[in-house]
Amino acid sequence: MTALATAAAPDTRPGGLLRAVGRTHRAALVLFLLALVAAVVALIWLHSLGDEARAGSSACATPPSGGLPSCAAVEAITADETYRDGMSALATALSLLMFPVAAWAGGALIGRELENGTAQLAWTQSVSPARWLAVKLAAPAALLTAGTGGLLLLNDWARGDGDPNLVGDWYYPDAFVSTGPVAVAYALAGLALGALAGLVWRRALPATGVALAASLLLHNVLERYRENLWPAVTRTEAGTLELPRSAFQVSWADVPRDGVLLTRATFHPESHFWPLQYVETGLLLAVAGTATGAAFLLLARRLP
């Protein structure tokens, strides 16, 4: 009888709930790790194409005279296209990471377990609801932070000198998100919004839809108003005003003054990359923290 009671007793050791979360969501964990490994392999391979890609960009800019380009130039141009397309695809994947994270958190991590009663069962096995939710959020948050942060470092390494002809200008939406801490913050915000949606709706399908909608709204609002997150620079000159390609243009207008036509441009220089990153990251972490706090408060209020 003692052995049976011991076997049936809940695992209350510090790592017991963490292992239970890992077993319950094994498929999502395996998928995440496979995607992470695939992205690492792709970035290492793309880095190896970097020099050829830059040579291809030069060959496109100044093609050899005397008819068709040489075989070496053709190979370099092919590497250029492969490198550019591959880096663009990975940047897009990193910038959209919050959407599958939010859908999974709302549907599988929280919503489904409340819908089928496994969460309530865990609460009767010496696991408090607050601890259950804390582990549910902490484990994926740690994996997302480590995995996304590692990919950001590899992505920066694979970008090499950051030639905008190959990897896009710094202010392009995908390039901006995939080259700074804002990518990690987006993933964490998606996790928190998904968890909150799961606790509000308590059913997998509605929670998934609401989490996706909330994430899409947040993503679009920040992308639309990114230019306003840091004071822009305004320059006014007579005649034609030329801005460097690296300038993130906000507005452009011709202003007549005293019979002279002036050109006024408002823009963000490349030096504003990090201030914009830090402000947007702070906003996203504030959203994540607020959603997490609301989730714990809602869980406590709904308990009998």
Side-chain angles (χ1 to χ4, degrees):
M1 290 295 293
T2 303
L4 289 174
T6 303
D11 188 354
T12 57
R13 291 172 295 176
L17 185 54
L18 186 61
R19 286 190 294 272
V21 172
R23 287 193 300 268
T24 304
H25 302 283
R26 185 183 298 110
L29 176 61
V30 170
L31 183 61
F32 173 76
L33 293 177
L34 287 176
L36 188 63
V37 170
V40 168
V41 171
L43 284 169
I44 293 174
W45 174 62
L46 287 168
H47 177 265
S48 69
L49 294 178
D51 292 336
E52 293 180 45
R54 279 177 277 278
S57 181
S58 299
C60 288
T62 56
S65 59
L68 297 175
S70 64
C71 292
V74 171
E75 292 175 359
I77 293 171
T78 301
D80 165 29
E81 295 174 349
T82 303
Y83 179 81
R84 184 171 58 245
D85 293 344
M87 293 300 296
S88 176
L90 283 168
T92 300
L94 272 173
S95 67
L96 299 180
L97 178 62
M98 75 175 302
F99 298 112
V101 169
W104 171 76
L109 184 68
I110 303 296
R112 187 177 65 189
E113 295 210 17
L114 290 172
E115 184 177 6
N116 61 24
T118 55
Q120 291 84 345
L121 178 62
W123 301 343
T124 66
Q125 302 296 310
S126 301
V127 176
S128 68
R131 184 184 169 205
W132 171 83
L133 182 58
V135 174
K136 282 282 186 180
L137 292 176
L143 287 173
L144 286 169
T145 301
T148 308
L151 284 181
L152 288 174
L153 295 176
L154 273 176
N155 185 49
D156 183 63
W157 173 65
R159 286 169 60 89
D161 60 2
D163 182 354
N165 291 320
L166 296 173
V167 296
D169 291 284
W170 68 270
Y171 50 83
Y172 286 1
D174 289 353
F176 182 85
V177 173
S178 65
T179 53
V182 72
V184 178
Y186 266 112
L188 295 178
L191 176 66
L193 289 173
L196 179 59
L199 284 165
V200 170
W201 293 96
R202 305 174 73 89
R203 294 175 58 195
L205 190 58
T208 299
V210 172
L212 281 173
S215 298
L216 182 61
L217 177 63
L218 177 64
H219 186 276
N220 287 344
V221 166
L222 287 177
E223 184 176 308
R224 169 65 180 83
Y225 294 102
R226 181 170 294 146
E227 63 194 35
N228 300 321
L229 297 181
W230 191 257
V233 174
T234 299
R235 181 184 297 173
T236 303
E237 292 183 7
T240 303
L241 174 61
E242 294 186 3
L243 294 178
R245 174 174 174 172
S246 61
F248 176 14
Q249 184 176 316
V250 176
S251 65
W252 185 282
D254 292 327
V255 182
R257 180 181 298 173
D258 299 330
V260 178
L261 187 63
L262 304 178
T263 301
R264 178 177 297 164
T266 303
F267 63 97
H268 289 285
E270 193 171 1
S271 60
H272 285 189
F273 170 80
W274 284 111
L276 288 168
Q277 280 276 335
Y278 292 143
V279 173
E280 189 164 341
T281 298
L283 290 173
L284 286 164
L285 292 179
V287 169
T290 302
T292 301
F296 277 98
L297 182 61
L298 181 63
L299 181 63
R301 288 189 173 184
R302 284 195 169 182
L303 291 176

